[in-house]
Amino acid sequence: MKLIIASNNKGKIAEFSQMLSPLGYEVLSQKDAGISLDVDETGTTFEENAALKAEAVAKLAKDCAVLADDSGLEIDALGGEPGVYSARYGGEEYKTPEDRNNLVLKKLEGVPEQLRTARFVAVLCFVSADGKKISVRGECEGRIAFEPVGDAGFGYDPIFVYGDRTFGQHLQILKNCVSHRARALAKLTDILKKEKL
Ligand code: IMP
């Protein structure tokens, strides 16, 4: 099955491709599908934003299923921030993922290890070629490091500790087994199989 990933985020597209290609899906980025679109994420929940992105791209995708991911990092000591604002945390001033990682670390200065609990959340919204919509959520619990370590993955991976090291240090193949995105995708592929979509 051909599947367009409704995203311009290279990190997400690479992970979907790594996880879905072995299952026989042909993963296309928006660019591959000739769809140039940057959807405004005006929702206040991951569910709303994933649906906004999936529906906007599905309107332009001819006879092809679409998968959108809205994801982010929830940090307990920051009341759930950056949450749905993870991609633009801190506003214009914080341009790069490194800037945003440093902002998080600054806000957590003085917070001890046991209170640095956090989770990555991913909500996937799938729209089939004939317009059927499915939404699923995956979460991955961890904690925030004291400094960025490792250069694997993308975004907040260097400061997210899973087990004894950051996602930036883990092999990508491990992240793809346990991540928020992997867990949501496992739920989705189960549903797609059961519903023969
Ligand atoms: P959005 O879903 O386009 O709003 O962006 C999600 C943002 O959350 C990304 O730009 C990253 O900053 C962050 N994020 C989501 N998933 C991951 C992940 O697997 N690793 C690191 N950062 C992530």
Side-chain angles (χ1 to χ4, degrees), residues 7 9 12 15 41 46 49 53 69-73 83-88 97 100 120-122 153-158 160 167 175 179-181:
S7 176
N9 179 318
K12 283 186 193 179
E15 289 186 4
E41 298 186 18
F46 294 112
N49 284 334
K53 292 188 264 191
D69 158 312
D70 199 62
S71 47
L73 179 62
V84 290
Y85 305 106
S86 293
R88 46 199 150 125
R100 289 186 280 275
F120 270 130
V121 178
F154 67 98
Y156 296 97
D157 282 344
F160 184 80
F167 267 171
K175 183 183 172 192
S179 77
H180 48 317
R181 193 162 291 108

Side-chain angles (χ1 to χ4, degrees), residues 6 37 39 47-61 66 68 125-127 131 133:
L37 189 67
V39 180
E47 280 75 7
E48 281 170 1
N49 284 334
L52 279 174
K53 292 188 264 191
E55 283 161 6
V57 173
K59 275 191 192 145
L60 303 174
V66 170
C125 182
F126 171 87
V127 181
K133 197 164 95 184

